Structures are given as structure tokens and as C-alpha cells.
Amino acid sequence: MLKTLRKPLKPVYRSMIIAAAWSNRRDIGRWAKFAKRAAMPATRPSPSDLKLEARVRASLSCDPILRADPSIHDLRVRDGIVVLETPADWHNKRLALARLGQLKGVESVHTATDVNEQNWLDVDVLDVERDVVTARA
């Protein structure tokens, strides 16, 4: 009897899964980039940074406004510094900085003003701090 009920509902389940995936496509894409980077030994961050980045991503995923925000392209974590790759005129900046700044282990949260120009966390941490000071001036 259970099979007779399940079989006609199979297309409904599939369409529900597809609809959920489509509505969260940006978040799924960001998690896929994270999984790809974490799986590759050459681009894998340290274990503590990897765990902190997963917590930061989970925090973004739990917030309905930030989860669906198309302006957040990706994020990186290095030594407690979180860098969000967003455009310069991002309207949810204060909300994200407040939410992510409350997480345990996060020392500071920054936004990359132009992600096409450079990826801040592929360089040394001292270079990141120098770029932050330069961007403020």
C-alpha cells in the first residue's frame, strides 16, 4: 500500500526539491566553491580556518536575508579575519558585519571593495592589513 501512495507523489517530491534548490541557488553555489577549495590540497586552508569558515558560512546560511543576497559572491577566512567578496555599494553590509562579528573566533570582518582587482586572502595577512588601511585613506 505504501508503494501505491509513494509512486504518484514522486514527481511532487522532485519538484519540491528542485524548487528548494532554485530558491537557495546562491547559497548552494557558495557552499560548492567552499567544498571544492577545501578538497584540493593546494588551496586548502588550515584546519582551524576551515572550521571557522564553515561556521561563518553556516551563519550566513541561517540568515534568510544574507542567504539570498546576490551581492555576496564568496567569503574567505584566514587567521580569524573574514573577508566578504561583495561590490562596493552593497546594501546589507552593516547586517553582515554585525552578524559575523558576533561569531566566536572571528577577529574582524572586512569586505573586499573590488573582487576583480585582487583576492585579499591569497596574499599574506600583513598585506591584507596594509590594503585595509590603504582602502580607508
Side-chain angles (χ1 to χ4, degrees), residues 27-83:
D27 195 39
I28 291 170
R30 288 190 295 256
W31 276 102
K33 287 179 191 175
F34 170 67
K36 180 180 175 183
R37 199 175 73 248
M40 305 277 263
T43 59
R44 183 179 302 140
S46 69
S48 61
D49 286 342
L50 198 61
K51 291 174 189 174
L52 181 59
E53 186 171 341
R55 285 200 318 261
V56 169
R57 287 179 183 276
S59 176
L60 280 178
S61 295
C62 289
D63 190 316
I65 295 171
L66 296 175
R67 176 180 53 225
D69 191 349
S71 298
I72 303 174
H73 301 294
D74 203 8
L75 67 95
R76 301 283 176 108
V77 175
R78 186 169 179 181
D79 298 330
I81 300 171
V82 178
V83 177

Side-chain angles (χ1 to χ4, degrees), residues 78 81 83 110 120-133:
R78 186 169 179 181
I81 300 171
V83 177
H110 303 283
W120 285 13
L121 291 175
D122 289 339
V123 295
D124 194 31
V125 174
L126 295 176
D127 292 337
V128 170
E129 292 172 359
R130 186 180 67 235
D131 290 339
V132 169
V133 172

